[in-house]
Amino acid sequence: MSDQRVLIAAGGTGGHLFPAFSLCEELKRRGVESDLVTDVRADQYGIDFPGRAVHHVPSATLRGRSPVALAKMLTTLGRGIWQARKLFRETLPAAVIGFGGYPTVPPLLAARLSGVPFAIHDANAVMGRANRLLAPFARAIALSFEKTKHVPARYSGKTRVVGMPIRDSVKAAAKPYPKRSTADRFSLLVFGGSQGARVFADIVPGALAGLPQALRARLRLVQQVREEDMERVRVAYSEARIDAELAPFFPDLPQRMADAHLVVGRAGASTVAELTVLGRPAILVPLPHALDNDQLENATRVHDAGGAWCIGQAEFTSERLRDELVAMASKPETLERAAEAARSLGEPDAVSRLADVVEELMRGRSA
């Protein structure tokens, strides 16, 4: 199949891009080249797409309910579909696969109009709205969770549960959980993904400043902080004499996760999948205004298995986090059990199963 190409469409957030990157890596191992279609937000990650080329196609979501807003959205989608069809004529893809997000709508509708078979993959425990729109036309539907909400029973014949694809860099970082005694250093990683990191800038400094002095002295913190919050967070940690490394983005985040005793973060699908493959315990704070509450569903799956603690943002206070950290740091065996439970949920081979679906699509067969 080395002379054939796959077009991968993904929204511009890490939750959509990272599984797309993972699939590209696996297809490349199988001798299949791929192009990525996304939006300009993807540029913020500073990670080179491992495929042949990256294309930006216009897209839009409905903002407001006025006729003007609707007309603007439809005009943009029309331009996106036209450009995507032009891209198809230039690249001649054998198949297209979408990973969700509104930027996938024009290329996948263009695939439908051009007669190119396409599949969709949904990362979350709740199928996203773009994928719900596209599902009736998809040749195959790949899911991360067996019980995914908003997937009608009538699609059962073309549905395949494959899991969440994980990038090679995550699998390469995997290592045994770093056990510790109560006298050892305690490594804490805090990050908020592409959305919602500000709550951690607001809550975590006060929680860590309130820790007993002996624990603060043993703490090693790595935290993602937005540029606009950096100075106040840096000052707070300096005054509390906390050993902290702060940055707006960590390109080596998988390695940072593997080095942590505990992670505090959001519950996006990529984050949850990577934590389980790495086997790292976490305090998960689902994004409260996420569409369809998908992050809460993701976090609940890991919480129920004993691999994480799910705390709603309304309950996520400095006092609550301080108390949780004191309890966890004083009982290392609690974190060790949670790490083992998290790892039991990991699916490092998910990308291979998804690549099988894509190859079936390329051969003209439904999944």
Side-chain angles (χ1 to χ4, degrees), residues 34-365:
S34 54
D35 286 11
L36 174 69
V37 181
T38 184
D39 65 12
V40 293
R41 292 176 299 165
D43 298 340
Q44 69 181 299
Y45 291 95
I47 302 173
D48 291 334
F49 178 65
R52 197 186 67 91
V54 178
H55 310 275
H56 294 150
V57 168
S59 186
T61 186
L62 185 61
R63 301 185 185 279
R65 300 187 179 185
S66 70
V68 173
L70 178 60
K72 185 176 180 180
M73 181 197 71
L74 293 175
T75 299
T76 303
L77 287 178
R79 285 195 299 114
I81 293 171
W82 181 83
Q83 289 192 23
R85 294 194 72 178
K86 182 174 181 288
L87 177 63
F88 288 178
R89 291 192 294 270
E90 295 170 353
T91 60
L92 301 176
V96 182
I97 180 161
F99 282 90
Y102 67 84
T104 66
V105 174
L108 294 187
L109 289 181
R112 170 73 172 179
L113 294 171
S114 303
V116 179
F118 77 85
I120 56 175
H121 176 274
D122 205 285
N124 293 294
V126 181
M127 179 173 273
R129 300 193 179 196
N131 277 346
R132 274 182 256 169
L133 172 68
L134 296 161
F137 313 112
R139 188 78 61 84
I141 300 172
L143 302 173
S144 293
F145 297 95
E146 184 171 356
K147 295 181 179 179
T148 301
K149 292 186 177 180
H150 300 313
V151 180
R154 66 180 180 274
Y155 297 153
S156 60
K158 60 180 180 180
T159 297
R160 179 86 60 85
V161 180
V162 300
M164 179 66 168
I166 296 299
R167 293 169 292 158
D168 290 349
S169 61
V170 177
K171 289 181 276 191
K175 61 183 180 181
Y177 181 72
K179 295 184 179 182
R180 59 176 291 276
S181 72
T182 54
D184 293 332
R185 290 180 69 83
F186 182 52
S187 296
L188 178 67
L189 172 64
V190 181
F191 67 96
S194 59
Q195 302 180 74
R198 171 158 289 162
V199 67
F200 300 119
D202 293 341
I203 299 300
V204 178
L208 301 190
L211 294 174
Q213 192 278 331
L215 179 53
R216 272 188 285 130
R218 295 194 301 273
L219 187 66
R220 166 59 178 155
L221 171 69
V222 175
Q223 183 171 345
Q224 177 197 33
V225 181
R226 293 181 179 187
E227 290 282 8
E228 59 265 34
D229 299 320
M230 186 66 72
E231 184 59 26
R232 67 182 174 96
V233 172
R234 194 185 305 279
V235 169
Y237 288 139
S238 177
E239 292 177 348
R241 297 186 178 182
I242 290 171
D243 180 10
E245 181 179 356
L246 312 178
F249 180 74
F250 293 100
D252 60 342
L253 188 59
Q255 187 61 55
R256 307 278 184 155
M257 295 167 73
D259 291 340
H261 292 107
L262 178 68
V263 174
V264 178
R266 290 299 196 192
S270 285
T271 296
V272 169
E274 291 174 1
L275 285 169
T276 59
V277 167
L278 292 170
R280 293 299 177 266
I283 293 175
L284 298 175
V285 185
L287 189 68
H289 51 274
L291 286 175
D292 303 311
N293 234 0
D294 56 316
Q295 289 206 5
L296 177 59
E297 294 285 341
N298 297 339
T300 298
R301 303 290 176 98
V302 191
H303 173 91
D304 290 348
W309 292 264
C310 179
I311 302 178
Q313 185 159 310
E315 292 77 43
F316 185 67
T317 63
S318 293
E319 294 75 18
R320 171 74 183 274
L321 179 59
R322 177 201 64 203
D323 293 345
E324 295 284 358
L325 292 175
V326 169
M328 293 175 189
S330 65
K331 294 184 177 180
E333 64 276 11
T334 298
L335 290 176
E336 291 172 19
R337 287 194 297 269
E340 186 176 347
R343 188 184 296 275
S344 72
L345 298 176
E347 295 185 284
D349 298 325
V351 69
S352 179
R353 293 190 288 270
L354 180 59
D356 289 344
V357 173
V358 174
E359 288 195 326
E360 290 173 6
L361 206 63
M362 295 172 70
R363 291 192 294 267
R365 294 164 44 194

